[in-house]
Amino acid sequence: MADEARARKALPPGSRTFGAGGWRRTATRTWILRLGSSILIWTALMQLTSVWHPRPPKSSPAACFDGRGAATAGNGDRDLNGSTNLSVLDGEEHALFGSRSSPPALLPRRLYKSNGYLKVSCNGGLNQMRAAICDMVTIARYLNLTLVVPELDKISFWADPSDFGDIFNVDHFINSLRDEVKIVRALPKKFSKKIHTEPFSMPPVSWSSLKYYSKEILPLVRKHKVVHFNRTDARLANNGLPLHLQKLRCRVNYKALRFTPAIEALGNKLVSTLQRSGFFVVLHLRYEMDMLSFSGCTHGCSAKETEDLTRMRYAYPWWKEKEIISEKKRSEGLCPLTPEETAVVLRALGFTRDTLIYIASGEIYGGERRMASLRAAYPRIVRKEMLLSAEELNPFQNHSTQMAALDYQVSVASDVFVPTYDGNMAKVVEGHRRYNGFRKTIVLDRRELVKLLDLLQDGNVSWDQFSTAVMELHKGRMGQPTLRMVLHGRPKEEDYFYSNPHECTGSSRIRHTESREFDI
C-alpha cells in the first residue's frame, strides 16, 4: 500500500484524471495528426515533381540539339552525301511522328468575356486550310471570340469528305490552346433553337489587317452573336501583327495542329523506313492535273492533254483565270517544272544517280510516260504506295487530304526538300523546316531556270556552264535564316508568313546561323 501511495505521488500534476480511455484518445489524436501531415507533405511533393523537369547535363546527347530538334552549330551542315539522321526530335516536335507516352497536364484556361462565336469553313487543300486555321485562331484570340472547330473543304476539286477530326487530333487542338482562346466542337443548341436560318455568313477581305477585324467584323459578331466565314484562305495580313499574335500563329501551326494518331503512326513508319536507307530527298513534284489546269501550264503536254486541261479549267467557276498563254506564264516562272525538266535540274544541283528520292504528290499527269526521264536519271524513286501495303493505305484511299498529311510528315522530316512549284504545301513545309532548325529546302528559281533550260536544249550552253549557273543561282535559296521580304500594299508578292515565320525562329537564332554554309 505504501508503494502504491508513493507511485501516485510521483505522477505529474493533472495526470491523475486520466484513465486508460484518456490515453487511447490522446494516442488516436496524435496518429491522425501524423497521418494528415504525411498526406499534406506527399501531395506537395507530387505537385512539385509534376512541374519540375531537370535539365540534362551538357554532356548528354539531348544537349546536342536545340529546342526544335535541330543540330546546333558546331556539328556543321551535311552535304548531299551525308547520311546522318536529321529527324531527331524532342518532345515539342515529336507530335508529328508519334504521340507522347502520357497526356500533358491541362493548361490553365484563359478567362475572358466572349464577344460571340466564330464559325469557319476552310477552303482549299490541306496546307491552305492548315494556314487558314492558324489565322482563324489568331483572329478569334484578338477579338475575344469563341471559335467553333473549323469545317474542312468538301466541295473543291479533291471532293474529300474528311472532317477536322479525321485529319487532326481535336482534343489536343482544343486543350493545347485553352490558355489563349476557347474552342468548342459545335455551336450551343440555343442558337439552333432560336435561329432557324443559317448564321450570318461572309468571306472576310483577303490579307486584312487587325484594324479591319476590329472595326468591321467585331461589330457584326456583337450584332449577330455568330458570324460564319465561308472562305478562309489568306484572310490575315502577313505582317503588321503584334509579336504575340505572330507567335500564336506559329504555336497553332507547329504545336496545336497534330495529326490523328492513325495518320501520325503511318507517317512515322514512312519516315523510319526511309531513314533506315540513309540520306533521302523529298521531291514535291507538283504536276497533277488540277495544278496544270488551274495554272494553264501545258509545256510538254500533247494537244489532247492541253484540250482536256482547258476544258477542266472552264468547268470550275471559282477558278477566275480562264484564257491563259502557257509559254508566257512559263517564261515568268509561274509554272511548275515538268518531270523532265526536274531531272535535269536535280542533276545540275549535284544530286547523284543513287540518291533516294521520295515523290510527295498526287497522280502525275501523263503517268509513267512523263516520269520516264526522271526514273531513268534516278532509279531509287519511291512513293508511299511502294513503301506501305495496300491494307495500310486502304483507310486513307479516296481521302486526298489524309494522303497529303502523310506526305507532309515525310517532307518535314526529310534531309532535303525540293518543291517544283511554290504552292501552299511547298510554302508551309518550307516554314516548318525553318522552324525545325533551318533544314535544307531548295527553293527553285523557276524564272531563271527555264531560261537556262532552254539555252541548254538549244545547245547555246555546255553542260558544265549550265550546271555551274544552276549551282550559283541557288546558293542563297537553301532555306537559310533570313527575314521576310515585306512589300507594303502588295501582299501576294511579298514573302508568305508561313514560308518564313522569322518571329518564331528567333532573331538570336538567325544571327547565330547566318554564318553557316548551306552547300549542296
Side-chain angles (χ1 to χ4, degrees):
M1 294 293 293
D3 292 339
E4 189 176 348
R6 282 194 299 271
R8 282 196 296 268
K9 288 179 181 180
L11 289 173
S15 63
R16 294 176 188 177
T17 61
F18 280 83
W23 282 107
R24 280 195 296 271
R25 284 193 297 273
T26 302
T28 300
R29 290 193 199 98
T30 303
W31 182 83
I32 291 173
L33 285 172
R34 287 177 178 174
L35 177 62
S37 300
S38 299
I39 292 172
L40 200 61
I41 293 170
W42 179 256
T43 302
L45 285 172
M46 289 301 97
Q47 291 290 332
L48 284 171
T49 56
S50 68
V51 297
W52 177 73
H53 301 282
R55 292 182 177 270
K58 291 186 178 180
S59 60
S60 70
C64 296
F65 294 87
D66 64 20
R68 298 179 181 87
T72 55
N75 288 338
D77 275 65
R78 297 177 308 132
D79 59 20
L80 290 183
N81 296 319
S83 60
T84 305
N85 184 345
L86 282 185
S87 70
V88 180
L89 303 174
D90 68 355
E92 177 178 306
E93 285 305 317
H94 191 62
L96 276 174
F97 307 109
S99 56
R100 297 173 179 82
S101 57
S102 60
L106 285 178
L107 295 167
R109 189 184 300 280
R110 174 173 168 255
L111 300 177
Y112 64 96
K113 181 181 179 181
S114 176
N115 288 313
Y117 289 85
L118 177 60
K119 183 179 179 181
V120 298
S121 296
C122 299
N123 58 291
L126 171 67
N127 294 286
Q128 182 170 299
M129 292 192 290
R130 184 184 183 105
I133 292 166
C134 300
D135 288 346
M136 295 302 110
V137 170
T138 304
I139 292 166
R141 170 64 175 84
Y142 176 66
L143 298 180
N144 283 332
L145 306 179
T146 299
L147 178 68
V148 181
V149 169
E151 298 173 349
L152 302 188
D153 191 337
K154 297 180 175 64
I155 62 173
S156 290
F157 170 81
W158 305 275
D160 188 337
S162 299
D163 291 319
F164 187 96
D166 297 320
I167 308 293
F168 300 110
N169 186 323
V170 180
D171 288 336
H172 178 77
F173 177 68
I174 294 173
N175 292 331
S176 64
L177 295 169
R178 57 186 271 132
D179 62 330
E180 291 285 358
V181 63
K182 183 179 181 181
I183 304 173
V184 296
R185 292 175 179 267
L187 284 171
K189 292 182 178 179
K190 64 180 181 180
F191 289 104
S192 59
K193 290 179 180 178
K194 293 181 179 179
I195 305 173
H196 300 289
T197 59
E198 291 295 318
F200 179 81
S201 185
M202 62 171 290
V205 175
S206 298
W207 309 108
S208 291
S209 66
L210 293 178
K211 183 178 180 180
Y212 164 80
Y213 285 98
S214 61
K215 297 293 185 182
E216 303 293 332
I217 302 301
L218 185 57
L220 291 174
V221 179
R222 285 174 170 160
K223 176 182 178 181
H224 299 282
K225 305 303 179 185
V226 180
V227 166
H228 172 223
F229 287 168
N230 52 23
R231 294 189 71 83
T232 58
D233 56 312
R235 304 294 154 159
L236 187 59
N238 291 312
N239 305 290
L241 277 66
L243 181 61
H244 74 279
L245 291 182
Q246 295 287 53
K247 289 190 173 184
L248 177 58
R249 294 168 99 172
C250 293
R251 180 178 169 188
V252 180
N253 198 11
Y254 308 128
K255 295 185 180 181
L257 285 176
R258 289 180 59 180
F259 292 122
T260 62
I263 292 176
E264 279 191 350
L266 204 56
N268 190 38
K269 181 175 181 179
L270 279 170
V271 172
S272 298
T273 301
L274 290 162
Q275 287 174 342
R276 284 197 297 271
S277 298
F279 176 94
F280 77 97
V281 175
V282 165
L283 177 63
H284 182 43
L285 190 59
R286 194 70 170 94
Y287 207 74
E288 301 97 334
M289 186 177 187
D290 66 297
M291 178 71 252
L292 300 179
S293 177
F294 172 78
S295 64
C297 297
T298 59
H299 182 75
C301 295
S302 67
K304 174 67 165 59
E305 289 171 334
T306 300
E307 182 183 338
D308 291 342
L309 292 171
T310 303
R311 186 183 303 111
M312 179 182 176
R313 184 163 63 253
Y314 278 90
Y316 288 90
W318 50 85
W319 290 356
K320 296 179 181 179
E321 196 175 7
K322 303 299 182 183
E323 291 295 326
I324 300 173
I325 302 174
S326 176
E327 289 306 313
K328 182 176 183 295
K329 291 199 73 171
R330 178 176 178 268
S331 66
E332 294 171 348
L334 301 177
C335 288
L337 293 184
T338 67
E340 296 87 352
E341 292 171 334
T342 302
V344 177
V345 170
L346 289 178
R347 182 183 164 206
L349 285 168
F351 290 96
T352 56
R353 179 178 169 80
D354 62 348
T355 302
L356 177 61
I357 297 179
Y358 176 93
I359 301 292
S361 70
E363 183 178 351
I364 300 301
Y365 189 59
E368 285 303 311
R369 176 179 64 84
R370 298 304 302 272
M371 288 291 293
S373 297
L374 187 58
R375 287 194 184 280
Y378 295 97
R380 297 183 68 201
I381 284 180
V382 297
R383 302 174 62 96
K384 53 185 170 291
E385 292 83 358
M386 299 168 63
L387 302 176
L388 300 171
S389 68
E391 290 75 20
E392 289 173 314
L393 276 176
N394 186 58
F396 305 97
Q397 295 290 352
N398 302 318
H399 295 85
S400 59
T401 308
Q402 296 182 41
M403 295 287 268
L406 296 175
D407 283 343
Y408 184 91
Q409 293 180 84
V410 180
S411 298
V412 171
S414 65
D415 295 295
V416 181
F417 177 62
V418 185
T420 61
Y421 184 74
D422 56 352
N424 288 295
M425 177 169 175
K427 292 176 180 178
V428 176
V429 169
E430 178 190 355
H432 203 150
R433 291 172 66 83
R434 287 179 182 273
Y435 182 83
N436 281 1
F438 304 103
R439 290 184 173 183
K440 192 173 294 182
T441 299
I442 303 179
V443 182
L444 300 176
D445 187 340
R446 296 186 307 282
R447 183 168 185 166
E448 294 301 318
L449 278 175
V450 296
K451 295 178 185 176
L452 291 170
L453 285 163
D454 289 345
L455 288 172
L456 180 67
Q457 185 176 7
D458 295 340
N460 293 323
V461 294
S462 67
W463 173 258
D464 288 342
Q465 290 173 320
F466 174 79
S467 180
T468 300
V470 170
M471 294 280 281
E472 188 67 26
L473 181 62
H474 292 90
K475 274 187 175 180
R477 302 175 69 91
M478 300 284 177
Q480 294 97 324
T482 183
L483 299 179
R484 282 192 311 280
M485 177 181 66
V486 179
L487 299 175
H488 296 289
R490 294 153 62 190
K492 290 184 179 180
E493 300 174 43
E494 67 184 5
D495 288 343
Y496 187 41
F497 173 81
Y498 293 101
S499 67
N500 184 13
H502 65 245
E503 296 91 340
C504 307
T505 57
S507 57
S508 60
R509 293 181 70 207
I510 291 177
R511 287 195 301 270
H512 178 69
T513 54
E514 273 179 343
S515 61
R516 291 169 60 184
E517 294 182 359
F518 282 73
D519 295 334
I520 298 179

